[in-house]
Amino acid sequence: MRFFDYFRQNKKNSASQAKERLQILIAHERTSRNAPEYLPQLRHDLMSVIRKYVPIDDESVKVQVEKGAGFDVLELNITLPDS
Amino acid sequence: MSKVIVVTSGKGGVGKTTTSAAFAMGLAKNGFKTVVIDFDVGLRNLDLIMGVERRVVYDFVNVINGEAGLKQSLIKDKRVENLYILPASQTRDKDALSQDGVESVIKELKNEGFDYIVCDSPAGIEKGAFMALYFADEAIVVTNPEISSVRDSDRILGILQSKSRHAEQGREVKEHLLITRYSPERVDEGQMLAVEDILEILAIPLLGVIPESNAVLQASNQGDPVILANKTRAGQAYSDIVSRFLGKTVEHRFLDTERKGFFRRIFG
């Protein structure tokens, strides 16, 4: 029986994999969909300011807007290179 | 009060036209004066699914451009009372559907006393799809239990909630989820997203589930909307969704694996 269960388990995985992948992707797409239009430009400007002082690559600046109750939070995440 | 309903999905090939044809015919069978409009300019197909392809004289773009009147462009269905079809144009001009033009046609249809105006959206998120959903009061989002279709449905829901006229006016477009090509057997085997999974992800009310069925292909071969095939599972499922849409409580069917009897298990 265990032999058959093995195959069944594998099959179970594909639908739950699909669900898991979708949940992550859609959550991500929904946050960027609701983001203000100026976000990409803001991110670009921030990078050029930071680059005056520290050399950073394109992926090291993350800008996100989180919706709160009655207020929104602009979240900046800047990873500096190892010195 | 007439209502504009868009049948949309983002992804192609999930059953928008099949649904538009069956749904519009179901509304008409329930006594409502209904028109179904093909918004897929350049790739007209609703006429084939409705079986009226040889009766097309004028189309949606002709009406918008004033080359033909609305009344002479509407094709009256011969099987069901109160049902009319407005075919898409075969022009390759993508800008043929202007916002003002579409609005004036919808307004005229409302004045003609139509209860329901069903807009069959093209796939994608370009002009035609946008025009089909812009004036909608309600939306039927057609989704297959498959990741790319679910993702695209979510995308379309985002557009409905931000770009439609209702959204611009701070109102909501009433959303309905319709899952098509559902196969309970494959869900049981863990190969297909279950209804509950899709509902959890998209988080909009479920209008119905259409099981995977040979009847859909047969119906399109014959040019009879599948709702007319009232002995088939797909036909019955479409009748159920129309009843549910009209406010009746109808239990969902065809969601579980059919129990095979002894003989069918051996010989089936």
Side-chain angles (χ1 to χ4, degrees), chain B residues 172-201:
Chain B
E172 274 178 15
V173 176
K174 193 171 179 196
E175 298 156 344
H176 307 271
L177 177 64
L178 180 68
I179 299 171
T180 56
R181 307 199 67 168
Y182 193 68
S183 165
E185 292 79 17
R186 300 191 70 187
V187 173
D188 278 359
E189 288 164 5
Q191 300 173 12
M192 183 180 270
L193 288 165
V195 171
E196 305 81 58
D197 297 336
I198 301 171
L199 279 174
E200 192 183 325
I201 293 166

Side-chain angles (χ1 to χ4, degrees), chain B residues 51-81:
Chain B
V52 299
E53 70 277 9
R54 291 169 63 182
R55 297 172 58 205
V56 176
V57 182
Y58 297 111
D59 58 54
F60 195 12
V61 172
N62 291 141
V63 180
I64 287 177
N65 293 342
E67 294 151 3
L70 180 61
K71 276 189 188 160
Q72 60 184 145
S73 307
L74 290 174
I75 302 170
K76 189 179 187 322
D77 193 87
K78 287 181 174 165
R79 295 153 294 199
V80 179
E81 275 288 301

Side-chain angles (χ1 to χ4, degrees), chain B residues 129-204:
Chain B
F130 178 67
M131 279 301 122
L133 68 79
Y134 184 73
F135 297 99
D137 300 306
E138 305 198 21
I140 296 178
V141 177
V142 184
T143 306
N144 285 172
E146 182 268 324
I147 45 174
S148 52
S149 173
V150 176
R151 179 202 210 169
D152 290 357
S153 293
D154 191 68
R155 191 87 202 278
I156 277 290
L157 285 167
I159 294 172
L160 278 163
Q161 289 156 8
S162 62
K163 301 269 162 46
S164 63
R165 171 167 277 187
H166 272 241
E168 285 176 358
Q169 295 172 346
R171 292 181 294 160
E172 274 178 15
V173 176
K174 193 171 179 196
E175 298 156 344
H176 307 271
L177 177 64
L178 180 68
I179 299 171
T180 56
R181 307 199 67 168
Y182 193 68
S183 165
E185 292 79 17
R186 300 191 70 187
V187 173
D188 278 359
E189 288 164 5
Q191 300 173 12
M192 183 180 270
L193 288 165
V195 171
E196 305 81 58
D197 297 336
I198 301 171
L199 279 174
E200 192 183 325
I201 293 166
L202 294 178
I204 63 168

Side-chain angles (χ1 to χ4, degrees), chain A residues 63-74:
Chain A
V63 184
Q64 238 180 318
V65 173
E66 295 264 341
K67 296 254 174 224
F71 59 88
D72 293 352
V73 177
L74 178 65

